[in-house]
């Protein structure tokens, strides 16, 4: 029996390939009439408010999308079969295209074929969003989606904000970011005066409403939100001030420090007359792309010269053997809890400064503590990759539950106004937990940088994530990214962002952030309700 030459075998293989490809094309074309008939049946059998012409165009465009993906699928199968055939012939020692191909050369060819397929798929998925121009005989699925949106734009000419009504369709293209174009993040005020990085901030719950900051320069400051003027400087600590929280009903502040103590101090401030705010054009929130701006060199910040100082605490809470990293008030304000690097959290009676409970169990240093706004619940975070829920609702006994799910330090865990806890970690994730089911999180947010002290808005339930990479991102409770705050050499933070805090009652600034660039920033965040419900 004569042996078939390499050239004739290659010619026969190419002929079979062309035949297979033409067969697939005929198969696709032969079903076109069936598709049109099915479209007519769907149009006649469904009750829709859309005009008949629009429905017909939509069905046609969706059919084109299906055909494009079908063609890609067929090409993918053919390339896979070709690679498998080449591998089989190599294993059998046969020749390919009239010459003996080395194993490396064959792998190169197979790799090249796979690379071509991959590049074609990427081109299809990441094609330009502009309308197809002349010469685009076979539009990509993304171009077809844009055509669908254009149909809606023609039908509703007044809705020009963006493709909101067909957002689910754009899930075909993962790189499309339609959400950020409608969220507005405006930098309103900068609060400058600390001589070192700012670890923490919070907003008072009583009138007058002021902003409080805790800094590594051994001081805490109170600020007028509207004017950015320093109203009072507390200088009673002998170490870095790591946390500040305001009493729920009285003009008192609770600060935690590296001097192993927590201080409770009273304040009386008078707000200055608000000055007209400069007209700052609204800035759309940026997409989720890292900025390449370089850090600016910071000069030595000069503290406010006319800011009055307070140096004596009303109550000093002592008992820790290490840095007190955070502190908070229990509901009602009669008790306070502190978290320390000595691996314990302590519960105190505020009036007597006596230790009520020592909450032990963490294997490493604590990083944060937070209390529930309406119930006697405390959550503590630790470097041991866990956070713990302490329940003091029963006066006779307190219970504890351990949440495991992070792989690195849990930097903070905070309550929402419901039965949820949101935790952030150095493992670059944020997790949303249901207190009724602690086995696994109900949502996980993955980021590209470590997450510091997070906060959740009460009314909108938006999570503000401060990052080590100078960025602040906003997510909803389902883990969907809503926006990223503007950040550049002229706008936003220039160093690590340490903390965020919401203040939804304020009309000008409803979000505050602070960082190691020695400043706090007040933002006006406008997230349309439609965007949150998408």
């Amino acid at each position: 029996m004569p042996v078939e030459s390499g050239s004739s075998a290659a010619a026969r293989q190419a002929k079979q390939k062309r035949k297979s490809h033409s067969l697939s094309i005929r198969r696709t074309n032969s079903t076109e009439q069936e598709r049109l008939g099915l479209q007519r049946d769907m149009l006649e059998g469904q009750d829709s408010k859309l005009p008949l012409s629009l429905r017909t165009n939509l069905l046609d465009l969706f059919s084109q999308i299906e055909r494009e993906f079908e063609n890609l699928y067929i090409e993918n199968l053919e390339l896979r079969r070709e690679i498998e055939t080449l591998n089989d012939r190599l294993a059998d020692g046969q020749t390919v295209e009239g010459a003996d191909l080395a194993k490396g050369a064959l792998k190169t060819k197979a790799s090249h074929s796979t690379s071509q397929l991959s590049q074609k798929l990427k081109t299809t998925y990441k094609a330009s969003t502009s309308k197809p121009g002349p010469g685009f005989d076979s539009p990509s699925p993304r171009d077809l989606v844009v055509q669908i949106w254009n149909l809606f734009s023609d039908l509703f000419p007044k809705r020009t904000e963006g493709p909101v009504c067909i957002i689910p369709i754009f899930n075909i293209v993962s790189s499309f970011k339609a959400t950020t174009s409608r969220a507005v993040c405006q930098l309103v005020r900068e609060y400058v005066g600390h001589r070192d990085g700012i670890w923490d901030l919070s907003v008072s719950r009583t009138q007058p409403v002021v902003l409080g900051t805790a800094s590594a320069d051994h001081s805490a400051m109170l600020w007028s939100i509207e004017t950015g003027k320093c109203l009072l400087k507390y200088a009673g600590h002998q170490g870095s001030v790591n946390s500040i929280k305001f009493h729920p009903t009285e003009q008192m502040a609770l600060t935690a420090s590296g001097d192993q103590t927590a201080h409770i101090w009273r304040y009386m401030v008078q707000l200055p007359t608000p000055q007209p705010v400069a007209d700052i054009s609204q800035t759309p929130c940026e997409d989720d792309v890292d900025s390449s701006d370089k850090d600016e060199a910071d000069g030595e910040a000069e503290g406010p010269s006319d800011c009055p100082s307070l140096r004596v605490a009303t109550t000093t809470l002592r008992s820790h053997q290490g840095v007190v990293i955070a502190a908070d008030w229990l509901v009602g304000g009669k008790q306070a809890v502190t978290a320390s690097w000595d691996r314990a959290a302590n519960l105190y009676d505020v009036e007597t400064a006596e230790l009520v409970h020592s909450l032990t169990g963490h294997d490493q240093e604590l990083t944060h503590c937070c209390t529930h706004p309406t119930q006697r619940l405390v959550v503590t975070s630790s470097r041991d990759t866990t956070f713990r829920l302490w329940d003091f609702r029963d006066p006779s006994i307190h219970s504890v539950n351990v949440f495991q799910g992070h792989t690195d330090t849990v930097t903070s865990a905070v309550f929402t106004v419901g039965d949820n806890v949101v935790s952030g970690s150095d493992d670059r994730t944020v997790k949303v937990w249901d207190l009724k089911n602690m086995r696994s999180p109900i949502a996980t947010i993955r980021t590209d940088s470590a997450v510091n002290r997070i906060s959740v808005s009460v009314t909108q339930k938006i999570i503000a994530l401060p990052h080590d990479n100078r960025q602040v991102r906003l997510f909803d409770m389902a883990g969907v990214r809503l926006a990223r705050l503007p950040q550049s050499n002229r706008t936003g933070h220039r160093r690590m962002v340490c903390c965020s805090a919401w203040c939804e009652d304020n009309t000008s600034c409803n979000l505050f952030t602070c960082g190691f660039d020695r400043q706090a920033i007040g933002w006006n965040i406008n997230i349309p309700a439609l965007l949150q419900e998408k």
Side-chain angles (χ1 to χ4, degrees):
M1 181 177 180
V3 179
E4 186 178 26
S5 66
S7 58
S8 60
R12 183 170 56 84
Q13 183 179 4
K15 183 177 180 181
Q16 290 177 351
K17 181 178 178 181
R18 288 194 299 269
K19 183 178 180 181
S20 175
H21 184 64
S22 61
L23 180 62
S24 66
I25 295 177
R26 288 198 301 272
R27 188 185 305 114
T28 302
N29 293 334
S30 66
T31 59
E32 183 64 25
Q33 296 300 326
E34 297 178 4
R35 295 179 192 272
L36 294 177
L38 180 61
Q39 288 182 15
R40 286 194 296 270
D41 295 340
M42 293 176 62
L43 290 173
E44 294 173 356
Q46 292 183 358
D47 183 17
S48 175
K49 303 297 184 182
L50 294 176
L52 181 61
S53 60
L54 176 62
R55 295 178 63 198
T56 303
N57 290 335
L58 280 175
L59 289 174
D60 179 63
L61 289 171
F62 280 121
S63 298
Q64 292 185 50
I65 292 175
E66 181 183 358
R67 287 196 298 274
E68 288 301 316
F69 278 108
E70 183 180 2
N71 292 334
L72 288 175
Y73 178 73
I74 293 173
E75 291 180 13
N76 186 18
L77 290 180
E78 291 178 352
L79 284 174
R80 287 179 181 273
R81 283 197 296 267
E82 181 181 1
I83 293 173
E84 291 175 358
T85 302
L86 292 174
N87 286 334
D88 292 341
R89 296 180 65 183
L90 175 66
D92 296 338
Q94 299 181 21
T95 60
V96 179
E97 296 182 358
D100 293 332
L101 288 181
K103 187 175 182 179
L106 184 58
K107 285 187 175 181
T108 302
K109 180 175 181 180
S111 176
H112 179 67
S113 300
T114 305
S115 176
Q116 285 182 329
L117 172 65
S118 175
Q119 185 61 38
K120 187 166 186 177
L121 289 174
K122 289 181 180 178
T123 303
T124 301
Y125 274 88
K126 298 183 179 180
S128 172
T129 56
S130 59
K131 294 180 63 175
F136 283 81
D137 298 328
S138 179
S140 70
R142 186 185 181 108
D143 295 326
L144 294 171
V145 171
V146 174
Q147 292 183 37
I148 294 175
W149 166 241
N150 289 334
L151 285 176
F152 279 94
S153 299
D154 295 337
L155 186 64
F156 307 108
K158 293 182 180 180
R159 294 188 62 90
T160 58
E161 298 93 335
V164 177
C165 56
I166 57 167
I167 283 178
I169 300 175
F170 281 92
N171 289 337
I172 296 174
V173 188
S174 61
S175 63
F176 189 84
K177 295 182 175 64
T179 59
T180 58
S181 61
R182 301 191 66 210
V184 176
C185 307
Q186 181 181 0
L187 189 153
V188 179
R189 188 78 61 188
E190 294 178 336
Y191 306 85
V192 181
H194 280 291
R195 296 177 178 271
D196 208 336
I198 304 176
W199 288 117
D200 195 35
L201 54 69
S202 64
V203 180
S204 66
R205 312 180 204 180
T206 59
Q207 296 295 330
V209 178
V210 296
L211 173 68
T213 55
S215 172
D217 64 5
H218 299 191
S219 73
M221 289 185 180
L222 306 185
W223 308 82
S224 167
I225 294 178
E226 304 299 335
T227 66
K229 177 181 176 59
C230 178
L231 306 176
L232 180 66
K233 177 180 179 180
Y234 179 72
H237 284 291
Q238 302 301 314
S240 170
V241 184
N242 304 317
S243 171
I244 181 169
K245 288 291 184 294
F246 290 96
H247 193 275
T249 59
E250 301 181 36
Q251 291 187 356
M252 291 195 301
L254 170 64
T255 50
S257 174
D259 61 12
Q260 303 185 7
T261 68
H263 289 182
I264 298 174
W265 41 277
R266 292 185 176 272
Y267 63 89
M268 292 184 62
V269 295
Q270 184 176 1
L271 297 180
T273 303
Q275 300 295 325
V277 179
D279 184 16
I280 305 176
S281 59
Q282 291 186 336
T283 305
C285 297
E286 300 182 10
D287 59 13
D288 205 9
V289 179
D290 290 341
S291 172
S292 60
D293 296 328
K294 297 180 180 180
D295 293 344
E296 294 180 347
D298 291 331
E300 185 69 19
E302 293 296 334
S305 57
D306 58 344
C307 182
S309 295
L310 176 66
R311 298 183 178 274
V312 180
T314 305
T315 305
T316 300
L317 306 178
R318 309 177 189 271
S319 66
H320 283 294
Q321 303 302 314
V323 169
V324 183
I325 195 65
D328 202 356
W329 305 89
L330 261 69
V331 57
K334 295 183 178 180
Q335 292 180 322
V337 62
T338 57
S340 172
W341 284 4
D342 63 9
R343 306 183 182 183
N346 289 342
L347 184 67
Y348 297 90
D349 181 275
V350 171
E351 184 176 354
T352 63
E354 293 182 355
L355 178 64
V356 178
H357 288 294
S358 183
L359 313 179
T360 59
H362 282 291
D363 295 330
Q364 295 188 41
E365 295 92 335
L366 272 64
T367 58
H368 192 245
C369 65
C370 180
T371 60
H372 195 281
T374 60
Q375 304 182 60
R376 289 176 56 82
L377 298 172
V378 177
V379 63
T380 56
S381 312
S382 172
R383 291 184 60 190
D384 62 10
T385 74
T386 71
F387 65 94
R388 295 181 176 231
L389 174 68
W390 309 84
D391 190 344
F392 296 99
R393 289 175 291 188
D394 187 344
S396 59
I397 188 174
H398 68 272
S399 62
V400 59
N401 293 292
V402 181
F403 288 72
Q404 297 177 332
H406 290 287
T407 59
D408 205 336
T409 298
V410 182
T411 52
S412 66
V414 299
F415 290 99
T416 66
V417 179
D419 293 328
N420 296 121
V421 172
V422 183
S423 60
S425 171
D426 280 344
D427 64 8
R428 302 182 180 184
T429 66
V430 172
K431 298 179 183 291
V432 182
W433 307 79
D434 187 347
L435 294 180
K436 299 177 182 178
N437 181 15
M438 300 170 293
R439 295 182 179 179
S440 60
I442 59 178
T444 298
I445 301 169
R446 302 189 184 279
T447 69
D448 57 0
S449 180
V451 180
N452 296 311
R453 293 183 179 178
I454 60 179
S455 63
V456 182
S457 66
V458 175
T459 58
Q460 301 183 78
K461 294 186 177 180
I462 300 176
I463 312 171
L465 276 57
H467 290 286
D468 276 1
N469 65 359
R470 305 176 293 155
Q471 296 180 8
V472 181
R473 293 183 175 93
L474 306 180
F475 288 80
D476 66 12
M477 294 291 289
V480 177
R481 183 178 63 85
L482 300 176
R484 195 196 82 179
L485 272 59
Q487 186 271 321
S488 67
N489 281 337
R490 296 175 299 278
T491 305
H493 289 286
R494 301 184 298 274
R495 297 289 188 274
M496 174 181 69
V497 189
C498 299
C499 182
S500 64
W502 290 91
C503 178
E504 295 162 287
D505 296 332
N506 192 284
T507 57
S508 59
C509 300
N510 57 359
L511 177 64
F512 296 92
T513 58
C514 65
F516 241 62
D517 54 3
R518 308 173 187 175
Q519 70 172 342
I521 297 178
W523 305 87
N524 183 268
I525 308 298
N526 181 14
I527 306 291
L530 182 61
L531 184 58
Q532 298 179 53
E533 295 171 0
K534 74 174 186 64

